């Protein structure tokens, strides 16, 4: 019996050390998705396209449009926003803006990202588009551009008190898509989404992050919580470890603890089982060009090489580069001049075209004549 007990104890240790498979994950909520941030690949899903109310996770799209306005120069971080009566009247999570109060875009966006301030979200929407309804039109246009086919927004906050609130729907998959767009293409948002506690109004009003994973999950980078009676507890959680970013989304959890535990479970699974590989291209890869204005052209990958692979394959990755021996001018920029094959052992993971980094025009007859004269002159010296 003693030996049996020791055997069972050792078996338990071994089983606990083995990473969970996607099929064995236990994730609470009505729907869930785990997505790789770099590639957009879905690593786990549960009712991923079910249309559900997202509550304040709506503000991922609100923050995306704000960041796009900032990064394009249409508005600035230090622009002053004047609070309207409509913005000051917003309920739910807020920093209690007063009609006519003025605050910078930076402080308002920080309040949205950290404390989910509905009044600041509305004020920023009006500042960008003139009215919340006009801003919501922009939200839906952007959702269409991102192919968020499960989504329809009716406000910029996710509150249930809108007259059309029942039509305010999205899916776990679409939330992951817009979260990825925000975090990958507008990384400055992370200076707010990673804040645990801060203040606005010159220290007079405290902010506390509604996303508890920011404090308790190693590598957490954001992103947004949500709760209403109609939506339940929702969360889009992002994290980065060893160069790999993941997005975990849960909608319709029964408790706040369930959403955090579920996203933690998915993130743990992703980091334990997958790795992001960016193979380095060997050599300078200069290819000779005959009759061209330049003697060589450099070969570069035609697309970014980021591969999500099983973590066990990480040390088996190798690349094979096949390039043209020589090229005849003219050579066009982006012209395919070779192939890069990435393998893990014998398994082909990806084949990427190698292309010309720049155009190399063909020498004109006059240029050829000048070169000939130069060669004759050099021969006589």
């Amino acid at each position: 019996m003693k030996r049996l007990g020791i055997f069972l104890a050792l078996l338990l240790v071994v089983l606990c050390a083995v990473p969970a498979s996607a099929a064995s994950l236990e994730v609470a909520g009505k729907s869930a998705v785990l997505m790789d941030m770099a590639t957009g690949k879905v690593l786990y899903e549960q009712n991923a396209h079910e249309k559900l109310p997202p509550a304040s996770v709506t503000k991922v799209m609100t923050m995306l449009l704000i960041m796009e306005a900032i990064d394009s120069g249409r508005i600035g971080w230090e622009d002053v926003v004047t609070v309207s009566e409509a913005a000051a009247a917003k309920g739910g999570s807020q920093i209690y803006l007063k009609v006519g109060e003025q605050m910078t875009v930076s402080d308002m966006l920080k309040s949205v990202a950290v404390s989910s301030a509905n009044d600041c979200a509305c004020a920023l929407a009006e500042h960008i588009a003139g009215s919340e309804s006009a801003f919501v039109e922009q939200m839906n246009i952007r959702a269409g551009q991102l192919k968020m086919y499960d989504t329809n927004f009716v406000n910029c906050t996710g509150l249930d008190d809108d007259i059309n609130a029942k039509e305010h729907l999205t899916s776990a998959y679409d939330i992951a898509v817009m979260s990825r767009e925000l975090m990958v293409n507008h990384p400055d948002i992370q200076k707010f989404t990673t804040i645990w506690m801060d203040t606005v109004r010159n220290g007079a009003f405290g902010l506390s992050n509604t996303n508890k994973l920011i404090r308790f999950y190693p590598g957490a980078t954001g992103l947004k919580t949500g709760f209403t009676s109609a939506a339940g507890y929702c969360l889009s959680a992002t994290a980065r470890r060893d160069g790999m970013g993941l997005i975990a989304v849960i909608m319709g959890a029964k408790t706040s603890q369930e959403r955090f535990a579920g996203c933690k479970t998915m993130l743990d699974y992703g980091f334990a089982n997958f790795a992001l590989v960016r193979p380095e291209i060997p050599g300078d890869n200069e290819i000779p060009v005959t009759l061209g204005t330049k003697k060589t052209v450099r070969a570069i990958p035609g697309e970014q090489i980021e591969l999500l692979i099983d973590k066990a394959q990480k040390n088996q990755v190798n690349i094979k580069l096949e390039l043209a021996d020589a090229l005849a001018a003219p050579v066009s920029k982006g012209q395919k001049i070779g192939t890069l094959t990435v393998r893990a052992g014998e398994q082909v993971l990806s084949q990427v075209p190698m292309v010309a980094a720049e155009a190399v025009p063909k020498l004109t007859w006059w240029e050829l004549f000048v070169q000939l004269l130069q060669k004759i002159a050099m021969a006589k010296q």
Side-chain angles (χ1 to χ4, degrees):
M1 289 296 292
K2 185 177 181 180
R3 288 182 178 179
L4 178 60
I6 293 173
F7 172 76
L8 291 174
L10 289 172
L11 180 61
L12 180 62
V13 169
V14 170
L15 290 174
C16 289
V18 176
S21 67
S24 68
L25 292 184
E26 294 185 6
V27 178
K30 295 179 180 178
S31 66
V33 159
L34 176 67
M35 179 181 286
D36 171 57
M37 201 176 290
T39 64
K41 183 177 180 180
V42 173
L43 309 179
Y44 171 81
E45 59 182 309
Q46 171 186 307
N47 302 324
H49 291 279
E50 184 176 355
K51 297 179 181 181
L52 296 165
S56 280
V57 181
T58 297
K59 298 189 185 85
V60 172
M61 179 59 82
T62 302
M63 291 190 290
L64 173 59
L65 293 190
I66 294 167
M67 288 302 302
E68 288 179 343
I70 292 171
D71 289 345
S72 68
R74 286 186 288 127
I75 64 173
W77 289 107
E78 298 307 314
D79 286 359
V80 175
V81 180
T82 302
V83 179
S84 70
E85 185 174 345
K90 289 292 180 182
S93 301
Q94 55 183 303
I95 64 168
Y96 304 99
L97 293 171
K98 304 296 183 184
V99 177
E101 182 178 354
Q102 293 186 320
M103 187 175 286
T104 64
V105 167
S106 179
D107 277 354
M108 281 196 172
L109 182 54
K110 177 167 66 174
S111 300
V112 173
V114 177
S115 292
S116 196
N118 293 313
D119 44 5
C120 288
C122 182
L124 286 167
E126 293 172 342
H127 183 69
I128 290 171
S131 67
E132 183 181 4
S133 60
F135 186 82
V136 172
E137 287 183 21
Q138 295 181 14
M139 292 171 70
N140 284 316
I141 290 171
R142 195 70 182 96
Q145 292 169 344
L146 293 173
K147 299 181 180 180
M148 295 167 54
Y149 300 133
D150 307 322
T151 297
N152 180 65
F153 296 115
V154 300
N155 59 49
C156 68
T157 60
L159 287 168
D160 288 344
D161 57 3
D162 193 285
I163 190 170
N164 298 314
K166 290 183 179 179
E167 299 173 15
H168 189 91
L169 301 169
T170 187
S171 66
Y173 177 82
D174 282 4
I175 288 173
V177 168
M178 65 179 178
S179 298
R180 179 181 178 228
E181 182 71 16
L182 175 62
M183 299 299 278
V184 171
N185 293 321
H186 306 280
D188 282 349
I189 193 64
Q190 292 181 41
K191 69 183 181 183
F192 296 138
T193 59
T194 53
I195 290 173
W196 175 238
M197 299 186 76
D198 206 333
T199 61
V200 290
R201 296 192 179 105
N202 297 317
F205 191 92
L207 304 174
S208 180
N209 205 318
T210 56
N211 179 10
K212 306 310 176 187
L213 294 182
I214 290 299
R215 184 176 183 184
F216 298 109
Y217 191 81
T221 56
L223 184 58
K224 193 70 201 73
T225 60
F227 170 77
T228 65
S229 56
Y233 291 89
C234 306
L235 174 63
S236 177
T238 59
R240 179 170 292 276
R241 292 183 191 172
D242 299 324
M244 181 172 71
L246 296 176
I247 305 161
V249 179
I250 283 183
M251 301 184 72
K254 293 180 179 179
T255 67
S256 181
Q257 291 76 13
E258 278 188 351
R259 67 180 171 183
F260 290 124
C263 282
K264 179 182 180 299
T265 295
M266 287 190 286
L267 292 171
D268 285 347
Y269 163 74
F271 288 125
N273 289 277
F274 299 94
L276 187 68
V277 176
R278 299 179 179 91
E280 293 186 10
I281 312 303
D284 55 13
N285 302 316
E286 295 285 342
I287 300 176
V289 179
T290 58
L291 300 179
T293 56
K294 292 186 177 182
K295 292 182 179 180
T296 63
V297 66
R298 186 164 56 95
I300 61 173
E303 58 192 61
Q304 189 173 17
I305 309 173
E306 291 184 315
L307 302 173
L308 190 72
I309 63 173
D310 189 299
K311 208 166 190 177
Q313 296 179 308
K314 187 174 182 179
N315 295 327
Q316 303 172 21
V317 173
N318 62 85
I319 64 175
K320 182 179 180 182
L321 195 57
E322 297 175 290
L323 299 175
D325 294 328
L327 298 167
V331 177
S332 303
K333 182 179 180 180
Q335 177 180 326
K336 183 180 178 182
I337 53 180
T339 302
L340 176 72
T341 303
V342 185
R343 289 185 172 87
E346 296 301 317
Q347 180 187 357
V348 175
L349 301 177
S350 179
Q351 282 193 317
V352 177
M354 296 292 289
V355 301
E358 59 183 336
V360 180
K362 187 176 182 179
L363 289 168
T364 64
W365 285 108
W366 174 250
E367 289 170 328
L368 286 169
F369 178 66
V370 169
Q371 283 192 7
L372 178 59
L373 291 179
Q374 288 173 340
K375 287 181 181 179
I376 292 171
M378 290 178 64
K380 290 181 177 181
Q381 292 178 356

